[in-house]
């Protein structure tokens, strides 16, 4: 459940040469309708990640991508002067891409013009 939801954004991280969080099997949400785990950074800071069990795969992938993106920006890029991951190809200095569901797929979109840049997990 979580593996298939998180897998695509982890491929994006690997392509970008960024370090992935360490995922710990910790069902902190404790809810029947949400699958959850913890993401731990090298500095010992943790963030929770949760996706809705009943949601379609594309929704879970986009939701997980959004939460992993937040972790990456805070844990990996904060202080590096780079906070836009994944960078928007049209506006690389302005904003990162935003995960969304378009049609039946999870995609990275430009938050300014709503254009679809690429599917989550594909280079
Ligand atoms: Zn943009």
């Amino acid at each position: 459940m979580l593996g298939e939801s998180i897998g695509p954004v982890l491929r994006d991280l690997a392509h970008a040469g960024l370090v992935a969080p360490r995922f710990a099997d910790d069902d902190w949400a404790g809810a029947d309708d949400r699958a959850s785990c913890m993401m731990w950074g090298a500095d010992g800071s943790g963030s929770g990640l949760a996706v809705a069990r009943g949601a379609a795969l594309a929704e879970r992938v986009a939701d997980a991508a959004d939460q992993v993106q937040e972790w990456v920006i805070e844990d990996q890029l904060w202080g590096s002067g780079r906070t836009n991951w994944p960078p928007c190809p049209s506006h690389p200095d302005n904003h990162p891409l935003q995960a969304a569901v378009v049609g039946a797929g999870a995609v990275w979109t430009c938050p300014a013009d709503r254009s679809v840049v690429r599917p989550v997990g594909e280079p």
Side-chain angles (χ1 to χ4, degrees), residues 88-92 94-97 109-113 115:
C88 176
S90 307
H91 319 97
N94 297 355
H95 49 236
L97 295 173
T109 63
C110 167
D113 63 18
S115 62

Side-chain angles (χ1 to χ4, degrees), residues 16-120:
L18 292 166
V19 177
R22 186 172 59 80
F23 290 96
D25 196 5
D26 174 359
D27 189 21
W28 56 268
D32 289 343
D33 58 347
R34 279 157 69 80
S36 60
C37 67
M38 286 297 290
M39 298 183 282
W40 292 99
D43 64 355
S45 62
S47 311
L49 181 150
V51 296
R53 289 183 191 277
L57 178 59
E59 282 175 47
R60 285 186 276 121
V61 167
D63 205 8
D66 188 53
Q67 295 171 74
V68 170
Q69 175 187 33
E70 204 167 302
W71 181 89
V72 167
I73 290 172
E74 284 179 11
D75 193 275
Q76 297 274 299
L77 304 180
W78 197 251
S80 73
R82 241 181 98 208
T83 53
N84 59 338
W85 184 83
C88 176
S90 307
H91 319 97
D93 298 325
N94 297 355
H95 49 236
L97 295 173
Q98 192 169 61
V101 177
V102 174
V107 294
W108 288 113
T109 63
C110 167
D113 63 18
R114 299 275 151 204
S115 62
V116 172
V117 175
R118 60 183 168 84
V120 175

